Amino acid sequence: MHHVLRSTQYAIRHMHIIETIADFRRVRPQFGSLGLVPTMGYLHAGHLSLVQRAKAECGAAAVSIFVNPTQFAPHEDFNRYPRDMERDLGLLREIGTDLVFTPPMSEIYPPGFSTYVEVEGVTDTLEGAARPGHFRGVATVVCKLFTITQPTRAYFGQKDAQQCVVVKKMVRDLNLPLDVIICPTVREPDGLAMSSRNAYLTPEQRRAAPVLHRALSAAQQRYESGERNGDTLRATMQTVLHAEALAETQYVSAADPLTLRELDSVGTGGVLFSMAVRIGNTRLIDNLLIEGE
Ligand code: AMP
């Protein structure tokens, strides 16, 4: 009993929940090396894997929870994006998060806000082409979160492959003093990449959703058996997606992992297989990276 009580007390050590930039700046000096995990909340095991990695590699782990309006287009799901702050805080407390930054909208975008970060080139294709303005919103909020929280390292998921490329480029181009760490995509047992947006799926749509991962795996298999033609690899993914009646493909891609341009043929630079697929009203993305030599 005594032992159980002690370990429980250890697990519920203090977690700072901070809503303002001024408070974060006041608390920040108490921590040395800090790992930041930016999120939009409605946390799942993918997010938590990033926090665990931050905890393992840095003296302290901070998580931001902010549904960022500037990365959503007017017709997108900003208003209905799932939110459950109490549950999120419980999960973060359980795994021993040190700091949680939960700013209200007015803290990040006060009246008169008009400065944005535009990362050129790598935002022209894929998600950047399908969602104009998306990465301007992402880069802006991530840059602000970096300057507010001053992390030693920041952790991002490979699930959002283009976001990883964009954030790394911004950090390099603006000389931001931190390291960007990319963590593997966490999947459900049937292959579906974990995502807050999976909550939108009806049971029938949920059964159809692993088709993205099956399509990526098919392309990987073709690649591993020697196929290097870009069109053939893209067609392989498209064929698998086409067989699922509920899936409506927005794009499939076999691109250079650094420039994100479509490849005619895969060379020594490796290939990023990626796709965006609509299932009902829900837009899902997934990808698989084959690294260069
Ligand atoms: P979000 O809350 O969707 O903005 O995601 C916050 C961070 O978690 C981003 O860096 C995502 O790439 C990452 N992430 C989301 N889903 C997963 C997943 N299934 N596996 C690993 N990382 C993820």
Side-chain angles (χ1 to χ4, degrees):
M1 186 62 204
H2 218 101
H3 176 73
V4 170
L5 202 65
R6 266 217 314 276
S7 64
T8 308
Q9 279 169 344
Y10 175 74
I12 58 169
R13 71 183 171 169
H14 184 64
M15 180 172 84
H16 296 267
I17 300 168
I18 301 172
E19 293 191 6
T20 69
I21 296 164
D23 283 348
F24 201 101
R25 293 214 159 117
R26 249 191 300 280
V27 174
R28 177 68 183 90
Q30 291 177 32
F31 301 90
S33 146
L34 182 69
L36 173 69
V37 180
T39 82
M40 299 204 299
Y42 213 72
L43 303 179
H44 51 67
H47 297 114
L48 300 183
S49 74
L50 271 53
V51 183
Q52 297 283 19
R53 180 90 177 264
K55 270 167 56 78
E57 295 181 358
C58 305
V63 175
S64 62
I65 299 178
F66 180 67
V67 185
N68 174 39
T70 61
Q71 70 189 70
F72 291 81
H75 65 276
E76 290 181 348
D77 56 344
F78 173 71
N79 283 315
R80 65 181 188 112
Y81 195 84
R83 294 162 169 89
D84 190 342
M85 187 60 82
E86 286 317 306
R87 182 172 161 279
D88 288 352
L89 294 176
L91 290 169
L92 293 176
R93 198 174 273 119
E94 249 172 54
I95 63 168
T97 309
D98 299 280
L99 292 155
V100 187
F101 183 48
T102 61
M105 183 93 79
S106 60
E107 194 70 7
I108 301 297
Y109 299 112
F113 180 91
S114 70
T115 302
Y116 294 87
V117 179
E118 189 88 53
V119 180
E120 296 182 349
V122 292
T123 56
D124 292 344
T125 60
L126 306 174
E127 287 301 283
R131 304 180 67 189
H134 171 65
F135 287 116
R136 179 185 196 245
V138 168
T140 301
V141 80
V142 169
C143 186
K144 283 170 69 72
L145 290 168
F146 286 172
T147 62
I148 293 164
T149 64
Q150 309 212 356
T152 319
R153 294 176 162 194
Y155 294 82
F156 292 84
Q158 176 63 29
K159 162 74 172 33
D160 298 280
Q162 192 171 16
Q163 173 169 279
C164 294
V165 173
V166 170
V167 169
K168 278 199 212 159
K169 184 141 204 319
M170 173 182 76
V171 165
R172 189 180 336 119
D173 288 353
L174 297 182
N175 312 101
L176 302 180
L178 63 113
D179 291 323
V180 174
I181 312 289
I182 308 303
C183 305
T185 301
V186 176
R187 298 178 180 282
E188 301 284 0
D190 62 8
L192 176 63
M194 290 194 181
S195 164
S196 308
R197 288 190 169 98
N198 292 348
Y200 295 146
L201 300 171
T202 65
E204 190 194 11
Q205 292 168 346
R206 173 64 187 80
R207 284 192 290 277
V211 72
L212 282 81
H213 182 246
R214 282 206 309 278
L216 292 166
S217 301
Q220 179 181 27
Q221 264 172 30
R222 289 297 290 269
Y223 176 85
E224 282 170 0
S225 55
E227 183 59 63
R228 292 293 182 274
N229 183 275
D231 285 335
T232 307
L233 291 164
R234 284 182 285 272
T236 300
M237 292 185 273
Q238 186 56 72
T239 302
V240 176
L241 292 171
H242 199 75
E244 172 48 67
L246 296 186
E248 183 203 324
T249 306
Q250 254 183 8
Y251 64 78
V252 294
S253 166
D256 180 285
L258 298 177
T259 65
L260 305 182
R261 300 275 161 193
E262 293 306 314
L263 290 171
D264 293 330
S265 78
V266 182
T268 55
V271 57
L272 176 69
F273 295 125
S274 70
M275 58 187 52
V277 176
R278 262 184 181 286
I279 298 190
N281 288 326
T282 303
R283 186 175 181 280
L284 300 177
I285 59 169
D286 201 352
N287 71 85
L288 191 151
L289 173 66
I290 293 177
E291 281 177 90
E293 290 157 21

